[in-house]
Amino acid sequence: DSGVTQTPKHLITATGQRVTLRCSPRSGDLSVYWYQQSLDQGLQFLIQYYNGEERAKGNILERFSAQQFPDLHSELNLSSLELGDSALYFCASSAHGGRDSYNEQFFGPGTRLTVL
Amino acid sequence: AQSVTQPDIHITVSEGASLELRCNYSYGATPYLFWYVQSPGQGLQLLLKYFSGDTLVQGIKGFEAEFKRSQSSFNLRKPSVHWSDAAEYFCAVARTGTASKLTFGTGTRLQVTL
């Protein structure tokens, strides 16, 4: 158990809908990262937040957005869902922001999103 | 941009046999290098990492990896595989200076036969 929790574990929805994935980082960790794992694209970094502010951005679609709240939990919002958005979405957390040095990222179990 | 290649999609080894999983990276300088393992239904767990110094790094669960700059490789090894090692293994790279963003390879699925 990494200490990172993600809810829900599974989510099934229809095309065009909007969903919210939630992540609670390890106690004391300030950074949260979101990754997408799909058969087509593999594991891809989406976005990082550090202490409430966006720190780094990866291959995140404009239909997707994220935020980190004052209690440090994070939400990933996916809208106008398409079949291709079906994937496993991982959240990870680390102690700090990692701008100048690496901080180990601890991964949650993921949320499996199925878009029908 | 950095990239990672794992040429083997699927590998099968017998329990007790040795294992080597290949990883090649593309990056202009020495990156941070990692190996993660993903068991079915689980998140990713860090096996080991290389930042600098000794090119042979030891990790958890008896794994080790060797950084070879001349070959741009960071292969994962284990001298004797256990059935519980069956999982998917990911090599990842992060740029020095922006170490937060991990770029992953496509993964190698390891099957262990008894």
PDB file of all heavy atoms in Angstrom, chain A residues 33 35 37 43 45 48 56 88 90 97-102 104-105 107-109, chain B residues 32 34 36 38 41-44 46 49 51 90 97-102 104:
ATOM      1  N   TYR A  33       0.644  14.044  -9.108  1.00  0.00           N
ATOM      2  CA  TYR A  33       0.851  13.840 -10.536  1.00  0.00           C
ATOM      3  C   TYR A  33      -0.294  12.981 -11.074  1.00  0.00           C
ATOM      4  O   TYR A  33      -0.755  12.068 -10.389  1.00  0.00           O
ATOM      5  CB  TYR A  33       2.163  13.092 -10.805  1.00  0.00           C
ATOM      6  CG  TYR A  33       3.371  13.634 -10.085  1.00  0.00           C
ATOM      7  CD1 TYR A  33       3.573  13.395  -8.723  1.00  0.00           C
ATOM      8  CD2 TYR A  33       4.334  14.376 -10.766  1.00  0.00           C
ATOM      9  CE1 TYR A  33       4.683  13.878  -8.066  1.00  0.00           C
ATOM     10  CE2 TYR A  33       5.453  14.865 -10.115  1.00  0.00           C
ATOM     11  CZ  TYR A  33       5.621  14.610  -8.769  1.00  0.00           C
ATOM     12  OH  TYR A  33       6.721  15.104  -8.110  1.00  0.00           O
ATOM     13  N   TYR A  35      -1.303  10.468 -14.386  1.00  0.00           N
ATOM     14  CA  TYR A  35      -0.831   9.723 -15.544  1.00  0.00           C
ATOM     15  C   TYR A  35      -2.005   8.964 -16.155  1.00  0.00           C
ATOM     16  O   TYR A  35      -2.921   8.541 -15.450  1.00  0.00           O
ATOM     17  CB  TYR A  35       0.245   8.700 -15.154  1.00  0.00           C
ATOM     18  CG  TYR A  35       1.553   9.292 -14.696  1.00  0.00           C
ATOM     19  CD1 TYR A  35       1.746   9.678 -13.364  1.00  0.00           C
ATOM     20  CD2 TYR A  35       2.608   9.457 -15.582  1.00  0.00           C
ATOM     21  CE1 TYR A  35       2.950  10.214 -12.939  1.00  0.00           C
ATOM     22  CE2 TYR A  35       3.822   9.990 -15.164  1.00  0.00           C
ATOM     23  CZ  TYR A  35       3.981  10.362 -13.842  1.00  0.00           C
ATOM     24  OH  TYR A  35       5.177  10.881 -13.433  1.00  0.00           O
ATOM     25  N   GLN A  37      -2.815   5.566 -18.545  1.00  0.00           N
ATOM     26  CA  GLN A  37      -2.281   4.338 -19.137  1.00  0.00           C
ATOM     27  C   GLN A  37      -3.327   3.747 -20.064  1.00  0.00           C
ATOM     28  O   GLN A  37      -4.376   3.282 -19.634  1.00  0.00           O
ATOM     29  CB  GLN A  37      -1.890   3.320 -18.065  1.00  0.00           C
ATOM     30  CG  GLN A  37      -1.229   2.078 -18.629  1.00  0.00           C
ATOM     31  CD  GLN A  37      -0.811   1.093 -17.548  1.00  0.00           C
ATOM     32  OE1 GLN A  37      -1.474   0.974 -16.519  1.00  0.00           O
ATOM     33  NE2 GLN A  37       0.287   0.384 -17.764  1.00  0.00           N
ATOM     34  N   LEU A  43       1.845   4.542 -20.952  1.00  0.00           N
ATOM     35  CA  LEU A  43       1.782   5.361 -19.740  1.00  0.00           C
ATOM     36  C   LEU A  43       2.258   6.764 -20.067  1.00  0.00           C
ATOM     37  O   LEU A  43       3.413   6.966 -20.417  1.00  0.00           O
ATOM     38  CB  LEU A  43       2.710   4.782 -18.680  1.00  0.00           C
ATOM     39  CG  LEU A  43       2.098   4.084 -17.494  1.00  0.00           C
ATOM     40  CD1 LEU A  43       3.179   3.389 -16.686  1.00  0.00           C
ATOM     41  CD2 LEU A  43       1.358   5.064 -16.605  1.00  0.00           C
ATOM     42  N   PHE A  45       2.440  10.933 -18.867  1.00  0.00           N
ATOM     43  CA  PHE A  45       2.308  11.973 -17.863  1.00  0.00           C
ATOM     44  C   PHE A  45       1.305  13.006 -18.348  1.00  0.00           C
ATOM     45  O   PHE A  45       1.376  13.471 -19.485  1.00  0.00           O
ATOM     46  CB  PHE A  45       3.671  12.613 -17.623  1.00  0.00           C
ATOM     47  CG  PHE A  45       3.642  13.883 -16.825  1.00  0.00           C
ATOM     48  CD1 PHE A  45       3.437  13.855 -15.458  1.00  0.00           C
ATOM     49  CD2 PHE A  45       3.837  15.108 -17.444  1.00  0.00           C
ATOM     50  CE1 PHE A  45       3.426  15.027 -14.725  1.00  0.00           C
ATOM     51  CE2 PHE A  45       3.830  16.288 -16.719  1.00  0.00           C
ATOM     52  CZ  PHE A  45       3.624  16.243 -15.349  1.00  0.00           C
ATOM     53  N   GLN A  48       1.110  17.873 -13.299  1.00  0.00           N
ATOM     54  CA  GLN A  48       1.573  17.863 -11.917  1.00  0.00           C
ATOM     55  C   GLN A  48       1.116  19.126 -11.204  1.00  0.00           C
ATOM     56  O   GLN A  48       1.160  20.221 -11.773  1.00  0.00           O
ATOM     57  CB  GLN A  48       3.103  17.785 -11.847  1.00  0.00           C
ATOM     58  CG  GLN A  48       3.641  17.851 -10.423  1.00  0.00           C
ATOM     59  CD  GLN A  48       5.090  18.305 -10.341  1.00  0.00           C
ATOM     60  OE1 GLN A  48       5.719  18.593 -11.347  1.00  0.00           O
ATOM     61  NE2 GLN A  48       5.623  18.353  -9.139  1.00  0.00           N
ATOM     62  N   ALA A  56       3.863  21.288 -13.723  1.00  0.00           N
ATOM     63  CA  ALA A  56       4.331  20.777 -15.011  1.00  0.00           C
ATOM     64  C   ALA A  56       3.151  20.199 -15.771  1.00  0.00           C
ATOM     65  O   ALA A  56       2.199  19.709 -15.176  1.00  0.00           O
ATOM     66  CB  ALA A  56       5.410  19.708 -14.827  1.00  0.00           C
ATOM     67  N   LEU A  88      -6.657   3.559 -17.833  1.00  0.00           N
ATOM     68  CA  LEU A  88      -6.393   3.528 -16.391  1.00  0.00           C
ATOM     69  C   LEU A  88      -5.710   4.847 -16.045  1.00  0.00           C
ATOM     70  O   LEU A  88      -4.704   5.211 -16.670  1.00  0.00           O
ATOM     71  CB  LEU A  88      -5.489   2.338 -16.083  1.00  0.00           C
ATOM     72  CG  LEU A  88      -5.274   1.899 -14.639  1.00  0.00           C
ATOM     73  CD1 LEU A  88      -6.586   1.660 -13.930  1.00  0.00           C
ATOM     74  CD2 LEU A  88      -4.419   0.633 -14.624  1.00  0.00           C
ATOM     75  N   PHE A  90      -3.781   6.993 -13.310  1.00  0.00           N
ATOM     76  CA  PHE A  90      -3.035   6.890 -12.071  1.00  0.00           C
ATOM     77  C   PHE A  90      -2.776   8.268 -11.493  1.00  0.00           C
ATOM     78  O   PHE A  90      -2.511   9.236 -12.210  1.00  0.00           O
ATOM     79  CB  PHE A  90      -1.674   6.231 -12.301  1.00  0.00           C
ATOM     80  CG  PHE A  90      -1.735   4.754 -12.513  1.00  0.00           C
ATOM     81  CD1 PHE A  90      -1.475   4.211 -13.761  1.00  0.00           C
ATOM     82  CD2 PHE A  90      -2.046   3.900 -11.465  1.00  0.00           C
ATOM     83  CE1 PHE A  90      -1.518   2.845 -13.957  1.00  0.00           C
ATOM     84  CE2 PHE A  90      -2.095   2.532 -11.657  1.00  0.00           C
ATOM     85  CZ  PHE A  90      -1.830   2.006 -12.901  1.00  0.00           C
ATOM     86  N   GLY A  97       8.258  19.306  -4.953  1.00  0.00           N
ATOM     87  CA  GLY A  97       7.900  19.573  -6.339  1.00  0.00           C
ATOM     88  C   GLY A  97       8.840  19.018  -7.371  1.00  0.00           C
ATOM     89  O   GLY A  97       8.512  18.971  -8.543  1.00  0.00           O
ATOM     90  N   GLY A  98      10.053  18.667  -6.954  1.00  0.00           N
ATOM     91  CA  GLY A  98      10.979  18.038  -7.883  1.00  0.00           C
ATOM     92  C   GLY A  98      11.514  18.929  -8.966  1.00  0.00           C
ATOM     93  O   GLY A  98      11.883  18.457 -10.029  1.00  0.00           O
ATOM     94  N   ARG A  99      11.577  20.242  -8.752  1.00  0.00           N
ATOM     95  CA  ARG A  99      12.048  21.114  -9.820  1.00  0.00           C
ATOM     96  C   ARG A  99      13.536  20.925 -10.070  1.00  0.00           C
ATOM     97  O   ARG A  99      14.004  20.949 -11.199  1.00  0.00           O
ATOM     98  CB  ARG A  99      11.745  22.575  -9.473  1.00  0.00           C
ATOM     99  CG  ARG A  99      11.790  23.489 -10.678  1.00  0.00           C
ATOM    100  CD  ARG A  99      11.579  24.925 -10.289  1.00  0.00           C
ATOM    101  NE  ARG A  99      10.189  25.284 -10.046  1.00  0.00           N
ATOM    102  CZ  ARG A  99       9.300  25.517 -11.013  1.00  0.00           C
ATOM    103  NH1 ARG A  99       9.633  25.386 -12.261  1.00  0.00           N
ATOM    104  NH2 ARG A  99       8.072  25.866 -10.717  1.00  0.00           N
ATOM    105  N   ASP A 100      14.303  20.756  -9.003  1.00  0.00           N
ATOM    106  CA  ASP A 100      15.746  20.634  -9.164  1.00  0.00           C
ATOM    107  C   ASP A 100      16.279  19.267  -8.789  1.00  0.00           C
ATOM    108  O   ASP A 100      17.443  18.993  -8.974  1.00  0.00           O
ATOM    109  CB  ASP A 100      16.454  21.690  -8.300  1.00  0.00           C
ATOM    110  CG  ASP A 100      16.083  23.087  -8.724  1.00  0.00           C
ATOM    111  OD1 ASP A 100      16.042  23.325  -9.943  1.00  0.00           O
ATOM    112  OD2 ASP A 100      15.817  23.923  -7.855  1.00  0.00           O
ATOM    113  N   SER A 101      15.498  18.470  -8.232  1.00  0.00           N
ATOM    114  CA  SER A 101      15.956  17.139  -7.854  1.00  0.00           C
ATOM    115  C   SER A 101      14.765  16.202  -7.866  1.00  0.00           C
ATOM    116  O   SER A 101      13.621  16.644  -7.859  1.00  0.00           O
ATOM    117  CB  SER A 101      16.593  17.160  -6.462  1.00  0.00           C
ATOM    118  OG  SER A 101      15.631  17.539  -5.509  1.00  0.00           O
ATOM    119  N   TYR A 102      15.085  14.936  -7.900  1.00  0.00           N
ATOM    120  CA  TYR A 102      14.002  13.977  -8.004  1.00  0.00           C
ATOM    121  C   TYR A 102      13.427  13.658  -6.636  1.00  0.00           C
ATOM    122  O   TYR A 102      14.155  13.438  -5.680  1.00  0.00           O
ATOM    123  CB  TYR A 102      14.479  12.686  -8.664  1.00  0.00           C
ATOM    124  CG  TYR A 102      13.361  11.692  -8.787  1.00  0.00           C
ATOM    125  CD1 TYR A 102      12.377  11.861  -9.746  1.00  0.00           C
ATOM    126  CD2 TYR A 102      13.257  10.622  -7.911  1.00  0.00           C
ATOM    127  CE1 TYR A 102      11.324  10.979  -9.845  1.00  0.00           C
ATOM    128  CE2 TYR A 102      12.210   9.737  -8.003  1.00  0.00           C
ATOM    129  CZ  TYR A 102      11.246   9.919  -8.982  1.00  0.00           C
ATOM    130  OH  TYR A 102      10.212   9.038  -9.071  1.00  0.00           O
ATOM    131  N   GLU A 104      10.839  10.851  -5.084  1.00  0.00           N
ATOM    132  CA  GLU A 104      10.191   9.605  -5.477  1.00  0.00           C
ATOM    133  C   GLU A 104       8.685   9.770  -5.525  1.00  0.00           C
ATOM    134  O   GLU A 104       8.087  10.358  -4.616  1.00  0.00           O
ATOM    135  CB  GLU A 104      10.546   8.477  -4.524  1.00  0.00           C
ATOM    136  CG  GLU A 104       9.885   7.147  -4.909  1.00  0.00           C
ATOM    137  CD  GLU A 104      10.349   5.986  -4.072  1.00  0.00           C
ATOM    138  OE1 GLU A 104      11.365   6.133  -3.372  1.00  0.00           O
ATOM    139  OE2 GLU A 104       9.685   4.933  -4.128  1.00  0.00           O
ATOM    140  N   GLN A 105       8.104   9.276  -6.602  1.00  0.00           N
ATOM    141  CA  GLN A 105       6.669   9.324  -6.776  1.00  0.00           C
ATOM    142  C   GLN A 105       6.067   8.003  -6.335  1.00  0.00           C
ATOM    143  O   GLN A 105       6.511   6.937  -6.748  1.00  0.00           O
ATOM    144  CB  GLN A 105       6.318   9.602  -8.237  1.00  0.00           C
ATOM    145  CG  GLN A 105       6.827  10.945  -8.722  1.00  0.00           C
ATOM    146  CD  GLN A 105       6.495  11.220 -10.166  1.00  0.00           C
ATOM    147  OE1 GLN A 105       5.512  10.724 -10.707  1.00  0.00           O
ATOM    148  NE2 GLN A 105       7.334  12.017 -10.816  1.00  0.00           N
ATOM    149  N   PHE A 107       2.707   5.741  -6.345  1.00  0.00           N
ATOM    150  CA  PHE A 107       1.532   5.624  -7.192  1.00  0.00           C
ATOM    151  C   PHE A 107       0.348   5.013  -6.462  1.00  0.00           C
ATOM    152  O   PHE A 107       0.491   4.069  -5.684  1.00  0.00           O
ATOM    153  CB  PHE A 107       1.845   4.769  -8.424  1.00  0.00           C
ATOM    154  CG  PHE A 107       2.639   5.496  -9.467  1.00  0.00           C
ATOM    155  CD1 PHE A 107       4.007   5.694  -9.316  1.00  0.00           C
ATOM    156  CD2 PHE A 107       2.020   5.996 -10.606  1.00  0.00           C
ATOM    157  CE1 PHE A 107       4.735   6.370 -10.280  1.00  0.00           C
ATOM    158  CE2 PHE A 107       2.735   6.673 -11.578  1.00  0.00           C
ATOM    159  CZ  PHE A 107       4.096   6.861 -11.411  1.00  0.00           C
ATOM    160  N   GLY A 108      -0.831   5.541  -6.766  1.00  0.00           N
ATOM    161  CA  GLY A 108      -2.060   4.939  -6.305  1.00  0.00           C
ATOM    162  C   GLY A 108      -2.447   3.757  -7.171  1.00  0.00           C
ATOM    163  O   GLY A 108      -1.790   3.484  -8.177  1.00  0.00           O
ATOM    164  N   PRO A 109      -3.530   3.050  -6.816  1.00  0.00           N
ATOM    165  CA  PRO A 109      -3.937   1.854  -7.551  1.00  0.00           C
ATOM    166  C   PRO A 109      -4.626   2.151  -8.872  1.00  0.00           C
ATOM    167  O   PRO A 109      -4.820   1.250  -9.683  1.00  0.00           O
ATOM    168  CB  PRO A 109      -4.892   1.165  -6.586  1.00  0.00           C
ATOM    169  CG  PRO A 109      -5.444   2.273  -5.757  1.00  0.00           C
ATOM    170  CD  PRO A 109      -4.343   3.279  -5.614  1.00  0.00           C
TER     171      PRO A 109
ATOM    172  N   TYR B  32      17.826  10.907 -15.205  1.00  0.00           N
ATOM    173  CA  TYR B  32      17.472  10.047 -14.082  1.00  0.00           C
ATOM    174  C   TYR B  32      16.772   8.826 -14.691  1.00  0.00           C
ATOM    175  O   TYR B  32      15.912   8.968 -15.553  1.00  0.00           O
ATOM    176  CB  TYR B  32      16.501  10.749 -13.140  1.00  0.00           C
ATOM    177  CG  TYR B  32      17.044  11.991 -12.471  1.00  0.00           C
ATOM    178  CD1 TYR B  32      16.208  13.073 -12.186  1.00  0.00           C
ATOM    179  CD2 TYR B  32      18.377  12.105 -12.096  1.00  0.00           C
ATOM    180  CE1 TYR B  32      16.677  14.212 -11.566  1.00  0.00           C
ATOM    181  CE2 TYR B  32      18.864  13.246 -11.481  1.00  0.00           C
ATOM    182  CZ  TYR B  32      18.005  14.296 -11.213  1.00  0.00           C
ATOM    183  OH  TYR B  32      18.471  15.431 -10.608  1.00  0.00           O
ATOM    184  N   PHE B  34      14.815   4.911 -14.078  1.00  0.00           N
ATOM    185  CA  PHE B  34      14.024   4.169 -13.099  1.00  0.00           C
ATOM    186  C   PHE B  34      13.506   2.874 -13.707  1.00  0.00           C
ATOM    187  O   PHE B  34      13.302   2.773 -14.911  1.00  0.00           O
ATOM    188  CB  PHE B  34      12.795   4.983 -12.656  1.00  0.00           C
ATOM    189  CG  PHE B  34      13.100   6.405 -12.271  1.00  0.00           C
ATOM    190  CD1 PHE B  34      13.121   7.407 -13.233  1.00  0.00           C
ATOM    191  CD2 PHE B  34      13.372   6.735 -10.957  1.00  0.00           C
ATOM    192  CE1 PHE B  34      13.405   8.718 -12.899  1.00  0.00           C
ATOM    193  CE2 PHE B  34      13.661   8.046 -10.615  1.00  0.00           C
ATOM    194  CZ  PHE B  34      13.678   9.040 -11.577  1.00  0.00           C
ATOM    195  N   TYR B  36      10.122   0.470 -12.752  1.00  0.00           N
ATOM    196  CA  TYR B  36       8.920   0.263 -11.963  1.00  0.00           C
ATOM    197  C   TYR B  36       8.328  -1.095 -12.303  1.00  0.00           C
ATOM    198  O   TYR B  36       8.472  -1.595 -13.421  1.00  0.00           O
ATOM    199  CB  TYR B  36       7.871   1.334 -12.285  1.00  0.00           C
ATOM    200  CG  TYR B  36       8.108   2.688 -11.656  1.00  0.00           C
ATOM    201  CD1 TYR B  36       8.937   3.617 -12.260  1.00  0.00           C
ATOM    202  CD2 TYR B  36       7.487   3.034 -10.454  1.00  0.00           C
ATOM    203  CE1 TYR B  36       9.142   4.864 -11.685  1.00  0.00           C
ATOM    204  CE2 TYR B  36       7.683   4.274  -9.882  1.00  0.00           C
ATOM    205  CZ  TYR B  36       8.510   5.180 -10.500  1.00  0.00           C
ATOM    206  OH  TYR B  36       8.717   6.416  -9.928  1.00  0.00           O
ATOM    207  N   GLN B  38       4.553  -3.242 -12.155  1.00  0.00           N
ATOM    208  CA  GLN B  38       3.108  -3.134 -12.000  1.00  0.00           C
ATOM    209  C   GLN B  38       2.513  -4.533 -11.966  1.00  0.00           C
ATOM    210  O   GLN B  38       2.526  -5.245 -12.971  1.00  0.00           O
ATOM    211  CB  GLN B  38       2.493  -2.330 -13.152  1.00  0.00           C
ATOM    212  CG  GLN B  38       0.989  -2.134 -13.027  1.00  0.00           C
ATOM    213  CD  GLN B  38       0.401  -1.358 -14.191  1.00  0.00           C
ATOM    214  OE1 GLN B  38       0.970  -1.298 -15.286  1.00  0.00           O
ATOM    215  NE2 GLN B  38      -0.737  -0.736 -13.989  1.00  0.00           N
ATOM    216  N   GLY B  41      -3.798  -5.200 -11.366  1.00  0.00           N
ATOM    217  CA  GLY B  41      -4.699  -4.486 -10.475  1.00  0.00           C
ATOM    218  C   GLY B  41      -4.020  -3.561  -9.481  1.00  0.00           C
ATOM    219  O   GLY B  41      -4.683  -2.993  -8.605  1.00  0.00           O
ATOM    220  N   GLN B  42      -2.731  -3.402  -9.632  1.00  0.00           N
ATOM    221  CA  GLN B  42      -1.980  -2.570  -8.692  1.00  0.00           C
ATOM    222  C   GLN B  42      -1.417  -1.342  -9.388  1.00  0.00           C
ATOM    223  O   GLN B  42      -1.349  -1.272 -10.615  1.00  0.00           O
ATOM    224  CB  GLN B  42      -0.815  -3.376  -8.095  1.00  0.00           C
ATOM    225  CG  GLN B  42      -1.234  -4.649  -7.396  1.00  0.00           C
ATOM    226  CD  GLN B  42      -2.047  -4.377  -6.151  1.00  0.00           C
ATOM    227  OE1 GLN B  42      -1.720  -3.507  -5.368  1.00  0.00           O
ATOM    228  NE2 GLN B  42      -3.129  -5.100  -5.991  1.00  0.00           N
ATOM    229  N   GLY B  43      -0.975  -0.409  -8.566  1.00  0.00           N
ATOM    230  CA  GLY B  43      -0.270   0.740  -9.108  1.00  0.00           C
ATOM    231  C   GLY B  43       1.164   0.365  -9.392  1.00  0.00           C
ATOM    232  O   GLY B  43       1.551  -0.798  -9.361  1.00  0.00           O
ATOM    233  N   LEU B  44       1.966   1.359  -9.672  1.00  0.00           N
ATOM    234  CA  LEU B  44       3.371   1.126  -9.986  1.00  0.00           C
ATOM    235  C   LEU B  44       4.214   1.235  -8.724  1.00  0.00           C
ATOM    236  O   LEU B  44       4.024   2.146  -7.917  1.00  0.00           O
ATOM    237  CB  LEU B  44       3.850   2.161 -11.003  1.00  0.00           C
ATOM    238  CG  LEU B  44       3.210   1.998 -12.365  1.00  0.00           C
ATOM    239  CD1 LEU B  44       2.534   3.263 -12.800  1.00  0.00           C
ATOM    240  CD2 LEU B  44       4.248   1.598 -13.380  1.00  0.00           C
ATOM    241  N   LEU B  46       8.223   1.422  -7.371  1.00  0.00           N
ATOM    242  CA  LEU B  46       9.595   1.689  -7.779  1.00  0.00           C
ATOM    243  C   LEU B  46      10.496   0.547  -7.341  1.00  0.00           C
ATOM    244  O   LEU B  46      10.539   0.188  -6.166  1.00  0.00           O
ATOM    245  CB  LEU B  46      10.077   3.002  -7.156  1.00  0.00           C
ATOM    246  CG  LEU B  46      11.498   3.419  -7.491  1.00  0.00           C
ATOM    247  CD1 LEU B  46      11.622   3.751  -8.985  1.00  0.00           C
ATOM    248  CD2 LEU B  46      11.920   4.633  -6.652  1.00  0.00           C
ATOM    249  N   LYS B  49      16.452   3.060  -8.878  1.00  0.00           N
ATOM    250  CA  LYS B  49      16.667   4.297  -9.621  1.00  0.00           C
ATOM    251  C   LYS B  49      18.160   4.576  -9.738  1.00  0.00           C
ATOM    252  O   LYS B  49      18.955   4.136  -8.913  1.00  0.00           O
ATOM    253  CB  LYS B  49      15.974   5.475  -8.937  1.00  0.00           C
ATOM    254  CG  LYS B  49      16.441   5.736  -7.503  1.00  0.00           C
ATOM    255  CD  LYS B  49      15.623   6.839  -6.882  1.00  0.00           C
ATOM    256  CE  LYS B  49      16.082   7.136  -5.443  1.00  0.00           C
ATOM    257  NZ  LYS B  49      15.674   6.078  -4.501  1.00  0.00           N
ATOM    258  N   PHE B  51      20.720   7.923 -10.440  1.00  0.00           N
ATOM    259  CA  PHE B  51      20.883   9.355 -10.638  1.00  0.00           C
ATOM    260  C   PHE B  51      22.301   9.668 -11.088  1.00  0.00           C
ATOM    261  O   PHE B  51      22.522  10.420 -12.022  1.00  0.00           O
ATOM    262  CB  PHE B  51      20.589  10.122  -9.337  1.00  0.00           C
ATOM    263  CG  PHE B  51      19.145  10.098  -8.935  1.00  0.00           C
ATOM    264  CD1 PHE B  51      18.760  10.522  -7.673  1.00  0.00           C
ATOM    265  CD2 PHE B  51      18.156   9.656  -9.799  1.00  0.00           C
ATOM    266  CE1 PHE B  51      17.422  10.500  -7.299  1.00  0.00           C
ATOM    267  CE2 PHE B  51      16.830   9.627  -9.422  1.00  0.00           C
ATOM    268  CZ  PHE B  51      16.461  10.050  -8.159  1.00  0.00           C
ATOM    269  N   PHE B  90       8.271  -1.525 -16.192  1.00  0.00           N
ATOM    270  CA  PHE B  90       8.401  -0.300 -16.961  1.00  0.00           C
ATOM    271  C   PHE B  90       9.723   0.377 -16.642  1.00  0.00           C
ATOM    272  O   PHE B  90      10.059   0.585 -15.470  1.00  0.00           O
ATOM    273  CB  PHE B  90       7.267   0.669 -16.640  1.00  0.00           C
ATOM    274  CG  PHE B  90       5.922   0.212 -17.110  1.00  0.00           C
ATOM    275  CD1 PHE B  90       5.100  -0.534 -16.276  1.00  0.00           C
ATOM    276  CD2 PHE B  90       5.472   0.517 -18.389  1.00  0.00           C
ATOM    277  CE1 PHE B  90       3.857  -0.957 -16.717  1.00  0.00           C
ATOM    278  CE2 PHE B  90       4.231   0.099 -18.831  1.00  0.00           C
ATOM    279  CZ  PHE B  90       3.421  -0.641 -17.994  1.00  0.00           C
ATOM    280  N   GLY B  97      16.860  18.376 -13.888  1.00  0.00           N
ATOM    281  CA  GLY B  97      16.402  19.767 -13.883  1.00  0.00           C
ATOM    282  C   GLY B  97      14.890  19.884 -13.929  1.00  0.00           C
ATOM    283  O   GLY B  97      14.322  20.843 -13.439  1.00  0.00           O
ATOM    284  N   THR B  98      14.233  18.916 -14.535  1.00  0.00           N
ATOM    285  CA  THR B  98      12.768  18.893 -14.505  1.00  0.00           C
ATOM    286  C   THR B  98      12.363  17.487 -14.115  1.00  0.00           C
ATOM    287  O   THR B  98      11.685  16.795 -14.851  1.00  0.00           O
ATOM    288  CB  THR B  98      12.155  19.259 -15.871  1.00  0.00           C
ATOM    289  OG1 THR B  98      12.696  18.379 -16.864  1.00  0.00           O
ATOM    290  CG2 THR B  98      12.448  20.681 -16.243  1.00  0.00           C
ATOM    291  N   ALA B  99      12.851  17.086 -12.980  1.00  0.00           N
ATOM    292  CA  ALA B  99      12.805  15.672 -12.623  1.00  0.00           C
ATOM    293  C   ALA B  99      11.418  15.172 -12.314  1.00  0.00           C
ATOM    294  O   ALA B  99      11.243  13.987 -12.103  1.00  0.00           O
ATOM    295  CB  ALA B  99      13.713  15.438 -11.432  1.00  0.00           C
ATOM    296  N   SER B 100      10.434  16.029 -12.300  1.00  0.00           N
ATOM    297  CA  SER B 100       9.126  15.560 -11.906  1.00  0.00           C
ATOM    298  C   SER B 100       8.438  14.757 -13.000  1.00  0.00           C
ATOM    299  O   SER B 100       7.661  13.863 -12.701  1.00  0.00           O
ATOM    300  CB  SER B 100       8.244  16.745 -11.531  1.00  0.00           C
ATOM    301  OG  SER B 100       8.147  17.650 -12.610  1.00  0.00           O
ATOM    302  N   LYS B 101       8.710  15.043 -14.258  1.00  0.00           N
ATOM    303  CA  LYS B 101       7.977  14.391 -15.332  1.00  0.00           C
ATOM    304  C   LYS B 101       8.664  13.091 -15.721  1.00  0.00           C
ATOM    305  O   LYS B 101       9.799  13.104 -16.169  1.00  0.00           O
ATOM    306  CB  LYS B 101       7.905  15.315 -16.547  1.00  0.00           C
ATOM    307  CG  LYS B 101       7.255  14.683 -17.753  1.00  0.00           C
ATOM    308  CD  LYS B 101       7.352  15.590 -18.956  1.00  0.00           C
ATOM    309  CE  LYS B 101       6.897  14.884 -20.217  1.00  0.00           C
ATOM    310  NZ  LYS B 101       7.034  15.721 -21.409  1.00  0.00           N
ATOM    311  N   LEU B 102       7.970  11.987 -15.545  1.00  0.00           N
ATOM    312  CA  LEU B 102       8.504  10.685 -15.925  1.00  0.00           C
ATOM    313  C   LEU B 102       8.024  10.323 -17.327  1.00  0.00           C
ATOM    314  O   LEU B 102       6.840  10.441 -17.623  1.00  0.00           O
ATOM    315  CB  LEU B 102       8.051   9.613 -14.949  1.00  0.00           C
ATOM    316  CG  LEU B 102       8.628   9.672 -13.534  1.00  0.00           C
ATOM    317  CD1 LEU B 102       7.918   8.673 -12.638  1.00  0.00           C
ATOM    318  CD2 LEU B 102      10.118   9.395 -13.556  1.00  0.00           C
ATOM    319  N   PHE B 104       7.775   7.074 -19.684  1.00  0.00           N
ATOM    320  CA  PHE B 104       7.824   5.624 -19.541  1.00  0.00           C
ATOM    321  C   PHE B 104       8.025   4.928 -20.878  1.00  0.00           C
ATOM    322  O   PHE B 104       7.590   5.410 -21.930  1.00  0.00           O
ATOM    323  CB  PHE B 104       6.520   5.109 -18.930  1.00  0.00           C
ATOM    324  CG  PHE B 104       6.352   5.400 -17.476  1.00  0.00           C
ATOM    325  CD1 PHE B 104       5.750   6.574 -17.050  1.00  0.00           C
ATOM    326  CD2 PHE B 104       6.806   4.513 -16.520  1.00  0.00           C
ATOM    327  CE1 PHE B 104       5.590   6.847 -15.710  1.00  0.00           C
ATOM    328  CE2 PHE B 104       6.648   4.776 -15.169  1.00  0.00           C
ATOM    329  CZ  PHE B 104       6.039   5.942 -14.761  1.00  0.00           C
TER     330      PHE B 104
END
